[in-house]
Amino acid sequence: MSRPAGTLERLERILTMVPWLLDHPGTPVEEVCQRFAVSRDQLASDLDILGYCGLPGYGGGDLVEASIVGDRVLVRMADFFRRPLRLSLREALTLLLAARTMTGVAGLAESAALRRAEATLTGLIGAAAGEGGDTEADPRITVDLGAPGDEHLAALREAVEARQVVRMTYRSGSRAEVTERDVEPWSLTGSLGAWYLQGYCRMARAPRAFRLDRIRELAVTAEVADPAEHPVGATTPVYEPGPDDERVVLDLGPDAWWVTEWAVVEDVSEHDHVRRVTLRSGSREWITRLVISLGGGATVVEPAGLRTAVAARARTMLERYRGD
């Protein structure tokens, strides 16, 4: 479910507004509206939301009191906003990982403020990790978020910008085969923890998405694609089910529920701790390997042919293990 437009901006405004109002009690409504660029109705709505916020327990004395008295804005029962922020080691590490994700990818614009926050968190985590331990231990912390395929990002960004044709040796995830192909690059897309190149594949003679960690070799050619021949298509999901793709129904145990968030699914229902998911697959090979990888966490409901293919693949794998 997508967030309503402006939800994140509103949350940021409210989190900024409350500490300021605590430091400036009784500020006129007009001044508050001007400072935070909101109308009187928007301000009243924001203050109303605060009435549902507070500390765990959420009973009398736990919730924020915010109101407009006469022409003045008053906020009470929100002193926890005044307290210095104290993060647990896990919370600080989570923030550091998020900051490194944004700043550690080659080619992305850097933010000075984000870099400063990252440095502060690194120092705090290093100090916390050293408490009670070896006083001579290096207090610095290193987080490596690099992943296979990241080394192609800089070259592909330049190729997308200039529309230069790229030649790649690519291992297909659906057919488990390695091919060499020329691609007219359109865009780079991040999805489900991986980077994808979208463009027109001359070998397939159709638009395709290529996962960067499956690129074995990459070369940017001097050829510039003709935009009139294959116009840049709209950004699309990494996988978009087609009318000829096979309909698959799986029953997933709790250990395999992640599939409902990872794959493009049509329907999900839950009964007795089992999630029944309906999805489309353009490759019998791909869906067979997915079910095998889930072990006992997935059961094929339909089609019957997929059950047969999974059983055959499982027998083949067991025979290979016995042979070893």
Side-chain angles (χ1 to χ4, degrees):
M1 180 181 296
S2 62
R3 292 186 179 93
T7 298
L8 293 179
E9 291 82 359
R10 188 181 192 187
L11 175 61
E12 181 180 357
R13 181 175 68 243
I14 291 174
L15 291 176
T16 305
M17 183 187 300
V18 173
W20 189 86
L21 290 173
L22 287 171
D23 289 335
H24 301 81
T27 302
V29 171
E30 183 178 353
E31 182 180 342
V32 177
C33 291
Q34 290 178 350
R35 183 174 186 85
F36 294 98
V38 294
S39 67
R40 188 183 182 99
D41 288 342
Q42 287 176 315
L43 175 61
S45 179
D46 289 349
L47 296 178
D48 182 62
I49 286 178
L50 285 173
Y52 298 94
C53 304
L55 296 174
Y58 307 107
D62 298 323
L63 300 177
V64 176
E65 292 183 6
S67 60
I68 298 176
V69 180
D71 197 45
R72 305 277 176 172
V73 181
L74 298 174
V75 174
R76 296 178 60 252
M77 303 300 295
D79 286 343
F80 45 84
F81 276 92
R82 297 180 184 272
R83 301 170 190 164
L85 181 62
R86 296 183 62 85
L87 299 174
S88 68
L89 186 58
R90 175 179 293 183
E91 290 169 337
L93 183 57
T94 300
L95 286 175
L96 178 60
L97 289 172
R100 290 284 174 88
T101 300
M102 296 299 297
T103 61
V105 178
L108 289 182
E110 295 183 0
S111 165
L114 190 57
R115 288 288 185 187
R116 290 195 298 271
E118 178 189 337
T120 300
L121 286 168
T122 300
L124 290 173
I125 292 175
E131 291 176 0
D134 184 358
T135 56
E136 297 183 358
D138 188 347
R140 293 172 298 177
I141 182 168
T142 300
V143 179
D144 183 6
L145 294 177
D150 285 0
E151 66 273 16
H152 302 310
L153 279 171
L156 286 174
R157 283 196 179 93
E158 294 180 1
V160 168
E161 183 69 23
R163 286 221 64 188
Q164 289 177 271
V165 177
V166 297
R167 180 165 297 142
M168 66 175 71
T169 302
Y170 187 77
R171 183 184 183 279
S172 171
S174 60
R175 296 181 177 83
E177 62 181 7
V178 178
T179 58
E180 185 173 295
R181 58 185 78 203
D182 289 351
V183 178
E184 300 176 16
W186 291 347
S187 66
L188 282 167
T189 304
S191 178
L192 302 171
W195 285 100
Y196 291 82
L197 171 69
Q198 294 189 326
Y200 182 84
C201 177
R202 292 179 174 176
M203 186 184 81
R205 298 182 180 180
R208 288 289 186 271
F210 302 95
R211 187 162 153 164
L212 266 57
D213 60 1
R214 294 187 182 136
I215 298 177
R216 299 290 180 83
E217 296 180 8
L218 176 74
V220 179
T221 71
E223 180 186 358
V224 177
D226 183 358
E229 187 173 356
H230 300 119
V232 175
T235 301
T236 60
V238 171
Y239 168 69
E240 193 168 20
D244 298 328
D245 289 354
E246 186 174 44
R247 180 177 179 272
V248 175
V249 180
L250 305 175
D251 278 350
L252 305 176
D255 290 342
W257 283 359
W258 58 268
V259 173
T260 62
E261 300 178 359
W262 171 77
V264 179
V265 300
E266 293 183 350
D267 183 66
V268 179
S269 60
E270 185 174 337
H271 181 68
D272 292 337
H273 302 292
V274 173
R275 288 184 181 176
R276 176 161 293 186
V277 56
T278 302
L279 65 153
R280 298 276 178 175
S281 172
S283 168
R284 174 62 68 84
E285 172 68 17
W286 175 82
I287 193 66
T288 299
R289 287 191 287 112
L290 173 63
V291 175
I292 288 289
S293 70
L294 295 173
T299 301
V300 178
V301 179
E302 56 181 82
L306 178 59
R307 288 199 299 271
T308 302
V310 170
R313 176 66 61 86
R315 285 194 296 270
T316 300
M317 293 174 66
L318 286 173
E319 289 171 1
R320 289 177 179 174
Y321 278 113
R322 289 167 182 163
D324 292 339

